[in-house]
Amino acid sequence: MKFRRLAEYFEKIEKTASRLSMTEILAKMLKEAQADEVDQMVYLALGMLRPKYEGIEFNLAEKMMIRVLSTAYGVELKKVEQEFKKVGDLGEIVGGMRPLKSDKDNQSLNGIHHSEIGKDMSVGEVYNRLFEIAVDEGQGSQDRKVQNMARLLKDLDLLGAKFAVRIPVNKLRLGFSNMTVLDALSWMERGDKSLRVDLERAFNVSADIGRIATIFKKEGLKGIGGVKVKIGVPIRAAQAERLPSAEKIVDKLEIFAVEGKWDGLRVQIHFDKGRSRTAATQEALFSSGGKSFVRIFSRNLDNITNMFPEISQAVEQLAVNSIILDGEAVGYDAKTGKLLPFQETIQRKRKHGVGSMSETVPIKVFVYDILALNGENLITKPFRERRKLLEKILHSGGVLQLADQEIVSEAKRLTELRQHYLDLGLEGVMCKKLTTAYQAGSRNFNWVKFKKSAGGELMDTIDAVVMGYYQGKGKRSGFGMGAFLVGVTDEKNCVGSIAKIGTGLTDEQWRELVVKCKKLETKEKPAEYLVDKNLECDVWVKPEIVVEIMADEITVSPIHAFGLALRFPRLINFREDKGVSEATGKKELERLFKLQKTA
């Protein structure tokens, strides 16, 4: 497919408000694509070049893209800046930046050829040039990125340039996610969403949406049914449901395993002794530093391997050829051995100063599941069998520690265990069915969390998305923020408000929130935000900050987006380990609302 044609599809999607219509357009685009280019088209449509876990980033901020436009079209830098401030969208100002010239004037400028029509480049050609720009690094790379991006824009027509500009700065604005792509693949084949379950199952065990699209395009449903766990490709994490009491949990699960619930960083560890770390292609950008292949993935599929060298070293010492482990990394005090709170553990999630931070905040990984071993896929095996295999490989002590476990069938003992773990500083317990497979990417009653239950509080916290903030008064005028608005997501990827929070933060938390918000400010309210006119923020921010919120209860609300609101909400933590896709959803909020009535 020509990139011009792809840009036409993007424009149709951008102008479409209906989720169903958007899915149908995307399905037509995918049907028209060739099998060897469909992955590139999917990645570009999602505003990226490779799966999230490979960590390929453009490192082209808006300021640099302004330089690109100035260089490409021979327009003064100041003028580009003025237009951007006025319009707020670099893609939209491309047409105004590109002067219509006669053939005589259509000459080379700064070594870049001007063409109004643009070269008839394929999707693959544009993709490859964007990829070369993204991976360019080292001395002089910033200037080369600007020059090469400018050349690409001049080789594209206006519509193509409009979308090519948006991709590197993460502003494609098409408004759909991986799940919409899965719906579109089903629609492409069947004209409805009936294949979504099969496609999502494959994506859950192999979280590379481009790979799923390619397999489905080439091999259809049979190929998708054959997608297996693969070392180096993250499996979407299983998630837990909630029940209001120990008695309800026993009624639901009958006999089950009880483990601690740590407040740390979810980590999925992949190891292959026979696969050299240099054998990986783009994945080699994140090396473990060892001889064998090691990858560590976060809850939201970030590659965090180089942030935890001690985990890589520990897994290389295991007496296995290959393995995938699921667990929780928690910081601890080296002198006392006491586990640290989440906000101290999260300091380990950084790209620089890893060595010194690993000494300041050492970590333990409490491993509670095994998903693959020596080439065998284990996720379909019952939890009881997976646990037995895990017990043969891991023991207490060291960086990788086998999570303590007890089999329970009585509410009294469950309550005692929860209190035991709370006394140790944990959040509570996880209750797990012994007979079920690992439900990748699913939230169901195979796992049930049973956390601290204090009087006048919800039975669990809510992970909400920061949507914007209100200017402060009095003391808070010094922070520049007096309150902030949070919301949860729905099935259409919209974010609906659930609470305005103005109390309960320390001065340090206010300052931290202001810093985070300043980096994400946007001129207009994002199109996916659902906010009543009476709650309009003074400043809107892009939906990227996830915060953990506790409240007294969930109440019916005539003003908040989904008819529900939090009563007396307060900030607990900044959840830097979670993306918006891992935040609490509308359906989950509704379930919590129902649960509090039965508690």
Side-chain angles (χ1 to χ4, degrees), residues 505-518:
L505 281 74
T506 65
D507 287 357
E508 184 180 349
Q509 287 175 322
W510 279 116
R511 292 189 187 96
E512 185 175 355
L513 182 58
V514 169
V515 170
K516 291 178 182 294
C517 287
K518 289 291 184 184

Side-chain angles (χ1 to χ4, degrees), residues 210-226:
R211 178 178 180 237
I212 298 302
T214 298
I215 292 172
F216 189 60
K217 188 79 175 177
K218 289 181 177 179
E219 305 173 35
L221 197 58
K222 182 178 179 181
I224 284 298

Side-chain angles (χ1 to χ4, degrees), residues 78-282:
K78 188 175 182 180
K79 182 178 178 182
V80 182
E81 291 173 343
Q82 290 173 343
E83 287 297 309
F84 178 50
K85 287 181 180 179
K86 187 188 303 181
V87 178
D89 180 352
L90 289 167
E92 288 295 341
I93 68 175
V94 167
M97 292 295 99
R98 190 169 194 167
L100 294 173
K101 296 191 175 189
S102 64
D103 289 340
K104 181 179 179 181
D105 292 330
N106 190 18
Q107 302 297 324
S108 176
L109 178 65
N110 295 332
I112 301 166
H113 185 69
H114 287 259
S115 169
E116 299 311 323
I117 300 174
K119 295 179 180 179
D120 200 19
M121 289 192 292
S122 68
V123 169
E125 288 175 307
V126 175
Y127 174 90
N128 288 334
R129 287 175 66 174
L130 285 171
F131 190 87
E132 288 172 4
I133 292 167
V135 299
D136 189 358
E137 57 184 17
Q139 187 174 2
S141 60
Q142 296 297 302
D143 288 336
R144 290 194 300 274
K145 286 176 184 284
V146 170
Q147 291 293 326
N148 290 332
M149 190 70 204
R151 286 186 171 87
L152 174 59
L153 295 186
K154 288 307 299 176
D155 285 341
L156 292 169
D157 65 341
L158 292 180
L159 187 61
K162 170 185 174 179
F163 290 103
V165 162
R166 288 176 174 176
I167 291 171
V169 294
N170 196 26
K171 292 283 185 67
L172 196 53
R173 297 183 176 181
L174 297 186
F176 61 84
S177 66
N178 291 323
M179 297 301 114
T180 313
V181 174
L182 296 178
D183 285 340
L185 287 169
S186 175
W187 204 278
M188 172 189 79
E189 186 69 18
R190 290 281 178 87
D192 57 34
K193 298 181 182 180
S194 60
L195 300 181
R196 164 67 183 268
V197 172
D198 298 288
L199 288 159
E200 189 170 353
R201 184 212 64 82
F203 179 62
N204 283 341
V205 301
S206 182
D208 179 347
I209 192 68
R211 178 178 180 237
I212 298 302
T214 298
I215 292 172
F216 189 60
K217 188 79 175 177
K218 289 181 177 179
E219 305 173 35
L221 197 58
K222 182 178 179 181
I224 284 298
V227 172
K228 305 294 184 186
V229 168
K230 180 180 178 182
I231 300 289
V233 180
I235 301 162
R236 297 184 72 214
Q239 300 177 69
E241 263 293 359
R242 308 171 181 86
L243 285 170
S245 67
E247 290 74 17
K248 293 283 187 182
I249 293 173
V250 171
D251 287 345
K252 188 77 173 179
L253 305 185
E254 297 182 347
I255 301 176
F256 50 94
V258 176
E259 302 168 353
K261 187 181 188 312
W262 294 270
D263 187 17
L265 292 167
R266 184 86 174 262
V267 290
Q268 189 178 113
I269 307 165
H270 291 229
F271 169 69
D272 189 342
K273 185 178 292 184
R275 179 179 172 190
S276 168
R277 66 181 176 85
T278 57
T281 53
Q282 291 86 343

